[in-house]
Amino acid sequence: MKVVAQIKEPVNREMELFETKFREAMSSKVALLNRITYYIVNRKGKQMRPMFVFLTAKLLSNGEVNERTYRGASVIELIHTATLVHDDVVDESSKRRGFFSINALWKNKIAVLVGDYLLSKGLLLSIDNEDFDLLKIISVAVREMSEGELLQIEKARRLDITEEVYYDIIRQKTATLIAACCSLGACSVKPNSPEVEIFREFGELCGMAFQIKDDLFDYGEAKIGKPTGIDIKEQKMTLPLIYTLNNCSKEKKRWLINSVKNHNKDKKRVKEVIAFVKESGGLEYAVSKMLEFKERALQILKSYPESPYRSSLELMVNYVVDRKK
């Protein structure tokens, strides 16, 4: 059995019912909108985020979930989908998961409006059901994601990024959404309990490890083949590069900054940067930090009794760092 199917097994029934509820949550009276949301739903990814919601809820309530859990999963998926649609516009991407993006098929104006629609649908789903505690969790996540993206853009212009700032960026940009999933799952079955914060932290640690793993792919780590150097081309400061900048001679530092700033489209120069980062131990350092986040996440789970849900969450944490793409 594939790892994702294994992770999903204890929540298969919930995920099937979630599919139906999620489609309903997206529906509109506008035919064009329905055509676009139908396109989105039929090209979904692994749906890790709703899985985090259901697994956390079931872990904390002896395998039971309620309507709030389904709403929490729907809200997070609506918000996540909205951010992806907006991201594709911002990045001028024409593909998403191998399919044409919304902006490629329906142009930017429609894509932005669809993203706004999904965002408002998510927020209204909470308001209409008076899930104000869930709404607060998701609203904080949306604010943090926006701040994280803008912080990254600001820092990319100056390339003066420290390791601490890098962690701030990835915590806000990536980890905050996974933190919200786990927090929502806990809050849906145990509102106002310490678990809401404990599982927010658990999700955040998973998200940090996830993003560092993504950064490593840029250097051809694992089995995805050749190094891509896409982050360097986009002047994104990732952990292997930050470590190298902070641990090399002044002369090399000047060369690195100049390469990323002024020669990031030169394939030969990008290859040289990748090779230098590897030689300088940048990858090993990033891997060690990723494993630290993973271990801290697993420690949190160890304080809960063994169950299929705990096992799946442990599998999920390991999958985050072992995945090949």
Side-chain angles (χ1 to χ4, degrees), residues 25-77:
M26 273 182 145
S27 68
S28 146
K29 292 189 178 79
V30 179
L32 173 62
L33 248 177
N34 283 336
R35 202 154 71 239
I36 297 170
T37 54
Y38 178 80
Y39 179 82
I40 292 169
V41 169
N42 287 330
R43 280 150 192 79
K44 60 184 183 300
K46 299 184 191 79
Q47 293 192 303
M48 288 302 200
R49 285 158 194 83
M51 277 189 243
F52 268 121
V53 176
F54 290 120
L55 287 167
T56 305
K58 292 187 92 169
L59 171 76
L60 295 174
S61 60
N62 300 320
E64 295 298 316
V65 296
N66 56 34
E67 279 305 314
R68 270 164 57 86
T69 316
Y70 285 103
R71 289 198 294 272
S74 292
V75 166
I76 206 86
E77 199 64 353

Side-chain angles (χ1 to χ4, degrees), residues 5 75 83 87 94 166 186 197 228 257 266 277 324:
V75 166
T83 61
D87 279 354
S94 58
Y166 165 79
E197 173 54 27
T228 59
I257 289 177
D266 175 343
V277 169
K324 301 290 179 264

Side-chain angles (χ1 to χ4, degrees), residues 91-138:
D91 299 338
E92 298 174 354
S93 299
S94 58
K95 288 279 177 81
R96 162 79 54 189
R97 298 188 189 116
F99 295 99
F100 283 112
S101 59
I102 304 301
N103 47 303
L105 291 172
W106 284 282
K107 302 288 179 276
N108 283 351
K109 186 175 181 178
I110 289 176
V112 170
L113 292 169
V114 168
D116 292 347
Y117 171 77
L118 296 172
L119 194 61
S120 64
K121 273 294 221 186
L123 301 176
L124 281 168
L125 185 61
S126 298
I127 292 166
D128 291 345
N129 292 284
E130 299 192 2
D131 296 327
F132 298 119
D133 48 354
L134 304 186
L135 181 62
K136 185 174 181 185
I137 292 168
I138 198 67

Side-chain angles (χ1 to χ4, degrees), residues 151-173:
L151 180 60
Q152 184 172 48
I153 291 165
E154 180 195 324
K155 294 297 175 185
R157 285 183 182 149
R158 296 208 300 268
L159 302 187
D160 62 346
I161 193 166
T162 62
E163 201 171 316
E164 283 314 303
V165 171
Y166 165 79
Y167 292 135
D168 275 346
I169 290 170
I170 67 168
R171 184 181 57 74
Q172 291 183 303
K173 232 186 73 163

Side-chain angles (χ1 to χ4, degrees), residues 167 205 208-209 212 289-297:
Y167 292 135
L205 292 165
M208 299 292 275
I212 296 173
K289 285 293 174 188
M290 173 181 76
L291 295 176
E292 267 178 43
F293 285 118
K294 178 189 99 161
E295 283 311 316
R296 283 168 59 196

